[in-house]
Amino acid sequence: MADSVILSPGAAIGILGSGQLGRMIAMAAARLGIRCVVYAPESGPACDVAAETIIAGYEDEAALARLAALVGVVTYEFENVPAHTAEFLAARLPVRPGPSALATTQDRAVEKRFLNDLGIPTAPFLEVDDAAGLERALATLGRPAILKTRRFGYDGKGQIMIREGMDVAESWAALGGAPCILEGLVPFTREVSVVGARSLDGSFAAFDVCENAHENHILALTTVPARMAAETAGEAVAMAARIAGALEYVGVISVEMFHVVDSAGERLVVNEIAPRVHNSGHWTTDGAVTSQFEQHVRAVCGWPLGSTRRHGRVEMRNLIGRQADDWAALLAEPGACVHLYGKHEARAGRKMGHVTRIFPE
Ligand code: AMP
């Protein structure tokens, strides 16, 4: 279907997924007069703020057809939307970003080949389909190396670091025999991300490069701007723009990168692409003229993108698990912008909220 649909205020968009990202998209949409219908197999934080909710499986074609009848455009807040779901919807109405963005980013091998074909560096990698293949790949890439499932990995799940002395068959078995890639280790100085948006007319606007620190494989702290040469930051944004253009992307795209600083200078290696708004972009709600969520709504509605200008030096801390118990103290802190996702149970490792602090530059 030719995708040139432009929505008007008062229209509705469908969001696949009911997590906090969908919640924040729906809140930004409401401010611009757009209603959101959240579609997910389970109720979640997005349902509290949606105009309507459809609780149904991603294979339920009758329910998907109901969604398609209610909204002008469909988007999603997570990258593992089944291909069939995206295609079923795309045959009926615009899905933004399109199904090809999902197909490319759901499989680490496909994604890395796509990046390398664009001339964008990634970690060295080899596809691995069995223990013997892992043995061969380790002989080529050396140890330590990281074995990652091609699909469904997140927050460090679906991957293991293979060090000297570790048994190959056991390492292979640890990931359940799923198709994998083995990646060589990138000696990075820091991890950064570009959160940007591509509009229906092909223009691209990125926020300043974010610097990300993880704890237990989960994003803990984002600071902006990232500590890197202005030229390197420009390259990071140019890479993200090239990726978005090649995917004919519409919406917010996030590109996670390793920043390598060594005797040869600075360089960037792309780790992965998230075809959605991103945790490292949460600071934009308080710290930029336009939030990543509003930017996503603007893009998927076919509207002009907003200014990505930053209000100051920014720090965004995730509230993971019991860290959210400090909510009252955080609320009492002058200048702290507190966001809570309304999740009832503070399970370990669960993202419960975040707090953004803005400082003069
Ligand atoms: P991922 O699931 O690919 O985002 O990986 C999770 C984390 O593991 C990254 O944020 C890095 O801290 C680390 N990591 C992943 N791949 C590599 C690599 N090739 N070299 C070094 N560190 C890596």
Side-chain angles (χ1 to χ4, degrees):
M1 145 178 303
D3 185 2
S4 56
V5 173
I6 294 176
L7 301 193
S8 299
I13 62 178
I15 302 173
L16 303 179
S18 61
Q20 65 267 16
L21 301 180
R23 176 182 177 98
M24 291 185 273
I25 292 169
M27 286 160 67
R31 212 184 66 161
L32 293 175
I34 291 288
R35 299 164 58 251
C36 288
V37 180
V38 167
Y39 185 110
E42 286 172 6
S43 186
C47 299
D48 296 345
V49 300
E52 264 183 75
T53 299
I54 299 175
I55 301 296
Y58 291 118
E59 298 73 29
D60 184 339
E61 294 191 351
L64 290 170
R66 237 182 324 128
L67 173 69
L70 283 172
V71 301
V73 166
V74 168
T75 188
Y76 40 88
E77 56 121 44
F78 74 114
E79 57 272 51
N80 288 320
V81 173
H84 176 72
T85 307
E87 278 151 21
F88 180 89
L89 290 167
R92 287 159 179 78
L93 80 173
V95 174
R96 297 174 182 164
S100 73
L102 285 172
T104 305
T105 58
Q106 282 177 350
D107 181 318
R108 290 185 191 272
V110 173
E111 179 176 277
K112 283 192 163 54
R113 278 198 296 268
F114 162 78
L115 289 165
N116 293 165
D117 287 348
L118 286 178
I120 293 176
T122 61
F125 74 100
L126 290 166
E127 289 170 38
V128 173
D129 294 315
D130 52 30
L134 177 56
E135 187 96 61
R136 285 193 300 275
L138 283 166
T140 305
L141 294 174
R143 301 183 188 218
I146 306 183
L147 185 66
K148 300 181 179 179
T149 56
R150 286 175 60 164
R151 302 173 71 88
F152 303 120
Y154 72 99
D155 285 350
K157 295 190 172 64
Q159 57 180 274
I160 74 167
M161 172 96 78
I162 305 185
R163 300 175 193 280
E164 280 318 327
M166 277 170 65
D167 184 73
V168 172
E170 270 174 33
S171 302
W172 173 250
L175 294 187
C180 283
I181 58 168
L182 184 73
E183 271 186 44
L185 222 56
V186 177
F188 64 81
T189 305
R190 57 181 59 85
E191 295 187 72
V192 300
S193 56
V194 175
V195 178
R198 189 170 179 274
S199 66
L200 199 56
D201 68 9
S203 56
F204 185 83
F207 297 98
D208 286 334
V209 180
C210 315
E211 178 166 338
N212 304 317
H214 299 86
E215 284 166 19
N216 304 319
H217 289 286
I218 299 171
L219 180 66
L221 175 68
T222 294
T223 47
V224 197
R227 289 167 291 174
M228 57 172 47
E231 195 180 294
T232 312
E235 256 172 59
V237 170
M239 280 183 190
R242 193 142 29 105
I243 291 166
L247 292 170
E248 295 182 34
Y249 198 93
V250 177
V252 166
I253 187 168
S254 312
V255 184
E256 298 176 17
M257 305 179 186
F258 300 126
H259 181 216
V260 183
V261 185
D262 57 22
S263 55
E266 295 191 22
R267 64 193 165 90
L268 295 163
V269 174
V270 170
N271 179 30
E272 62 183 359
I273 305 167
R276 54 170 170 77
V277 292
H278 195 259
N279 195 170
S280 67
H282 286 4
W283 62 271
T284 56
T285 300
D286 308 297
V289 173
T290 310
S291 76
Q292 63 165 347
F293 307 103
E294 175 175 337
Q295 198 75 309
H296 188 66
V297 171
R298 285 171 176 248
V300 303
C301 288
W303 295 353
L305 300 179
S307 163
T308 56
R309 191 162 55 77
R310 199 161 36 82
H311 295 317
R313 189 172 64 74
V314 175
E315 204 183 277
M316 186 286 305
R317 221 170 252 288
N318 267 342
L319 301 173
I320 310 282
R322 308 307 304 241
Q323 289 170 354
D325 291 353
D326 292 338
W327 58 269
L330 290 167
L331 286 170
E333 179 188 322
C337 307
V338 181
H339 300 252
L340 300 169
Y341 307 150
K343 296 180 185 177
H344 300 301
E345 212 191 321
R347 284 199 300 270
R350 198 169 197 211
K351 291 172 179 167
M352 303 298 291
H354 66 270
V355 54
T356 304
R357 298 178 176 92
I358 302 161
F359 308 95
E361 224 151 5

